Amino acid sequence: MKLYTIWRSQAAFRVRIALNLKGLAHEDIAINLDRGDQFKPEYKAQNPQAVVPTLYDGDAKLFQSVAILEYLEEKYPHPPILPKDLLARAWVRGFAFVNAADSHPLIVPRIRNYLTNVLNVDEPGRTAWIQHWLGSGLQAMEDLLAEKNPTGKFCHGDSPTIADICLVTQVTPAQLFKTDTAAYPRVMRIYDHCMTIAPFAEAHPRRQPDFAEH
């Protein structure tokens, strides 16, 4: 497998966690977004959105992180990252989309650049925007956990799922952008536990080879 990635991408972080959890070896190929490598014709031919991640499994080309997670689950089902029960699977997917579909898309670099370069939003305003949407997602996760699993080590059940992967990639940018997480103790308990597990810890942005170039 080949994963086109950059250390700071939360979407690529999700995929690295899933690959690690399933014990799938992969080669990471760094795409330097600051240098504009994502817009080079050779990469845009692979991913017309000019974003990461892109994953190759043999000749199969995969894009969009949640679709990649679903593919990995279906092709490599052990260990599972989705529960067997139908309603539980729906809950885990819904929880994951709080991050992957609602919060994260509002803070990605192309959105931040649009705020700055087109709408002329100043740095304090941009930071307020980021913290607002990260906090909104964290609050939703906290409320869902209070209702579903108030004391567990994971979002659902006794092993990590896609919900935990997306919880981690909600907290990590919140920490990066100095969002106060004190109001989300259930979220932070699960985050802290996940980061003691090697597949999560080794996938962390700061553990990636291209982070050293930052």
Side-chain angles (χ1 to χ4, degrees):
M1 290 189 182
K2 293 183 178 181
L3 177 65
Y4 288 81
T5 180
I6 185 174
W7 68 271
R8 71 169 185 250
S9 166
Q10 299 302 309
F13 187 11
R14 292 182 203 118
V15 174
R16 289 196 301 269
I17 295 169
L19 290 168
N20 291 349
L21 285 169
K22 291 182 174 293
L24 298 171
H26 59 283
E27 175 190 359
D28 285 352
I29 302 171
I31 299 295
N32 190 320
L33 305 186
D34 297 323
R35 196 169 54 207
D37 288 357
Q38 71 274 32
F39 299 115
K40 291 181 178 179
E42 56 268 31
Y43 185 69
K44 283 203 73 176
Q46 298 178 65
N47 191 317
Q49 281 190 289
V51 298
V52 296
T54 303
L55 178 72
Y56 280 87
D57 184 8
D59 293 330
K61 180 180 74 173
L62 302 148
F63 55 94
Q64 287 292 341
S65 64
V66 176
I68 294 172
L69 299 188
E70 295 270 3
Y71 167 86
L72 294 174
E73 177 70 353
E74 292 174 8
K75 186 171 181 181
Y76 307 99
H78 302 292
I81 55 174
L82 279 171
K84 291 182 179 180
D85 178 76
L86 180 65
L87 288 176
R89 289 168 77 92
W91 188 91
V92 163
R93 285 186 172 109
F95 189 99
F97 277 122
V98 172
N99 168 244
D102 289 343
S103 295
H104 181 238
L106 294 171
I107 67 158
V108 294
R110 63 183 181 273
I111 298 299
R112 302 200 305 267
N113 291 338
Y114 188 84
L115 290 171
T116 300
N117 299 330
V118 178
L119 300 183
N120 298 315
V121 177
D122 60 16
E123 187 65 26
R126 190 174 72 160
T127 298
W129 168 280
I130 293 167
Q131 291 177 341
H132 170 78
W133 293 115
L134 287 170
S136 176
L138 289 167
Q139 186 62 63
M141 289 180 168
E142 184 72 13
D143 293 343
L144 288 166
L145 291 171
E147 175 185 344
K148 176 74 172 178
N149 192 13
T151 61
K153 292 182 178 180
F154 297 107
C155 294
H156 174 84
D158 299 321
S159 60
T161 66
I162 288 173
D164 302 285
I165 292 172
C166 289
L167 178 146
V168 164
T169 60
Q170 183 77 16
V171 172
T172 305
Q175 294 174 329
L176 177 65
F177 289 104
K178 297 181 172 53
T179 305
D180 186 3
T181 59
Y184 319 113
R186 296 177 182 88
V187 170
M188 294 309 299
R189 182 189 67 245
I190 292 172
Y191 173 83
D192 290 340
H193 177 66
C194 286
M195 296 313 296
T196 68
I197 301 170
F200 283 85
E202 292 169 4
H204 192 279
R206 293 180 181 272
R207 297 281 294 274
Q208 305 316 300
D210 57 322
F211 174 71
E213 302 172 7
H214 175 63

